Amino acid sequence: MVNYKDLGLVNTREMFKKAIEGGYAIPAFNFNNMEQLQAIIQAAAETKSPVILQVSKGARAYANQTLLRYMAEGAVQYAKELGWEHPQIVLHLDHGDSFELCKSCIDMGFSSVMIDGSHLPYEENVALTKKVVDYAHQFDVTVEGELGVLAGVEDDVKAEHHTYTKPEEVVDFTTKTGCDSLAISIGTSHGANKFKPEQCTRDPKTGRLVPPPLAFDVLDGVMKELPGFPIVLHGSSSVPQEEVDTINKYGGALKDAIGIPEEELRKAAKSAVCKINIDSDSRLAMTAAIREVFATKPAEFDPRKYLGPARENMKKLYIHKIINVLGSDGKAL
């Protein structure tokens, strides 16, 4: 058993409380490799922002659970080396799909886990979430549950259509499960192609797709039922068009890639939404930088020469999100 506190990590409880009171959201950045982790820690340390390092089931298998445990411990020490005296870093399992996976992550030093039973019948979701909560709380690990289904694809999580969260269920769910935060569905979506063209309109000036607005009435309904309770938004990448354009310019084939407008995320961050998940944007920033190097310097074969620029591009993206979208800069001095 590895206790996350021995690694220098924190859970989300106090972090979320401060975010709700302060009207900002905590960035939850997914990572799969060292360059992504370096960029996240550099951005968080420079902006003094609390941060959640998210690892999906697929990313954990890709990176190896033992390496992840040491990478998380290393991330805390690296943050201190960068001058962040008291790092506020969470290691979180994103979209855990079984009790066994959540337990394994808790036992290996994760400070927070998500159990996603949203695809199950309601009572089965409640029972599974409660089982994870009962185990996690023994070790002061926080648990995120989910009600409602997000469309799109992210690793092993796939759904054709989204199902909005029902505000009338949230009190019963959180009471019965004891979960610490709740992921809801209000129209965000996984992946870089979050919406089909037929769901969107087109900007007559640019020809770009304009996504449908988020269902803030659903969010308002949830907040009315659960005042002050930590709410989470998944599938909240904005899919920066400049990164998409760079990818396509240098041989990519991302057609109609579209994300959540940043102004809608800024609005959400000022509410009880205290955790906003961002994954696809990082992938796009990384891929754009690598494609540009491959295309403009075809003789280059040193991985540092293309992974280095990729790391810098991701860091720039993370800093932008922290300061200009989530408002979490300066909140972890």
Side-chain angles (χ1 to χ4, degrees):
M1 177 79 190
V2 178
N3 190 296
Y4 71 87
K5 295 176 183 178
D6 294 334
L7 307 182
L9 300 167
V10 299
N11 66 25
T12 61
R13 193 169 291 115
E14 191 63 26
M15 191 180 281
F16 286 173
K17 182 174 180 290
K18 290 179 178 178
I20 293 173
E21 292 172 352
Y24 60 92
I26 310 295
F29 296 130
N30 287 68
F31 80 99
N32 305 273
N33 56 41
M34 184 184 75
E35 285 77 16
Q36 284 179 311
L37 181 61
Q38 288 174 316
I40 293 168
I41 297 304
Q42 288 171 9
E46 285 188 23
T47 59
K48 297 298 185 291
S49 169
V51 70
I52 296 170
L53 303 173
Q54 288 204 151
V55 180
S56 67
K57 176 183 178 181
R60 187 170 184 250
Y62 176 83
N64 176 268
Q65 63 175 9
T66 304
L67 279 175
L68 276 174
R69 167 245 192 277
Y70 288 102
M71 288 174 81
E73 185 175 17
V76 174
Q77 297 306 316
Y78 181 39
K80 291 180 179 178
E81 186 180 302
L82 292 173
W84 193 7
E85 190 175 353
H86 301 292
Q88 294 179 24
I89 300 172
V90 173
L91 181 62
H92 175 76
L93 171 65
D94 188 24
H95 286 291
D97 60 358
S98 69
F99 171 77
E100 291 73 21
L101 176 60
C102 291
K103 180 182 182 299
S104 176
C105 287
I106 293 165
D107 292 348
M108 286 295 290
F110 280 61
S111 58
S112 177
V113 294
M114 178 200 187
I115 178 63
D116 182 2
S118 61
H119 58 288
L120 299 171
Y122 179 77
E123 292 301 334
E124 291 182 31
N125 186 4
V126 168
L128 177 59
T129 304
K130 185 179 187 307
K131 185 177 181 181
V132 172
V133 168
D134 288 346
Y135 185 77
H137 282 184
Q138 296 178 75
F139 309 101
D140 201 26
V141 170
T142 41
V143 179
E144 175 186 327
E146 179 166 345
L147 275 177
V149 178
L150 272 70
V153 178
E154 181 184 13
D155 286 357
D156 298 325
V157 182
K158 301 177 183 179
E160 280 292 322
H161 306 285
H162 64 247
T163 303
Y164 288 144
T165 301
K166 299 175 182 175
E168 62 270 20
E169 291 181 344
V170 296
V171 173
D172 183 70
F173 183 84
T174 55
T175 302
K176 286 181 177 177
T177 63
C179 65
D180 301 285
S181 60
L182 183 66
I184 66 171
S185 173
I186 62 169
T188 54
S189 181
H190 291 130
N193 293 81
K194 297 185 181 299
F195 306 99
K196 296 177 181 177
E198 57 267 27
Q199 295 175 282
C200 306
T201 57
R202 283 197 184 270
D203 185 321
K205 293 181 180 178
T206 65
R208 295 190 188 278
L209 293 175
V210 179
L214 297 181
F216 280 99
D217 57 323
V218 175
L219 174 58
D220 291 340
V222 170
M223 292 192 298
K224 182 179 177 182
E225 295 294 327
L226 287 175
F229 193 84
I231 303 300
V232 176
L233 286 188
H234 284 245
S236 296
S237 284
S238 297
V239 187
Q241 287 303 305
E242 62 271 21
E243 305 295 1
V244 173
D245 291 345
T246 299
I247 290 170
N248 289 338
K249 176 181 177 181
Y250 294 113
L254 288 175
K255 185 180 179 184
D256 292 331
I258 185 170
I260 308 300
E262 289 188 340
E263 59 267 24
E264 295 207 321
L265 296 176
R266 277 191 285 270
K267 179 179 177 181
K270 293 185 170 98
S271 70
V273 173
C274 58
K275 172 177 179 268
I276 293 182
N277 293 10
I278 296 167
D279 185 4
S280 296
D281 285 354
S282 171
R283 298 181 183 192
L284 291 167
M286 186 173 204
T287 300
I290 291 172
R291 276 193 174 275
E292 183 169 3
V293 172
F294 282 174
T296 59
K297 301 176 181 178
E300 190 56 74
F301 67 94
D302 182 344
R304 294 170 296 182
K305 296 298 176 65
Y306 52 85
L307 292 177
R311 182 177 60 196
E312 288 305 308
N313 206 34
M314 287 188 289
K315 176 185 173 183
K316 182 177 74 171
L317 170 81
Y318 296 139
I319 289 176
H320 166 72
K321 296 289 184 182
I322 287 168
I323 295 174
N324 299 316
V325 181
L326 308 179
S328 60
D329 51 309
K331 304 301 191 295
L333 298 174

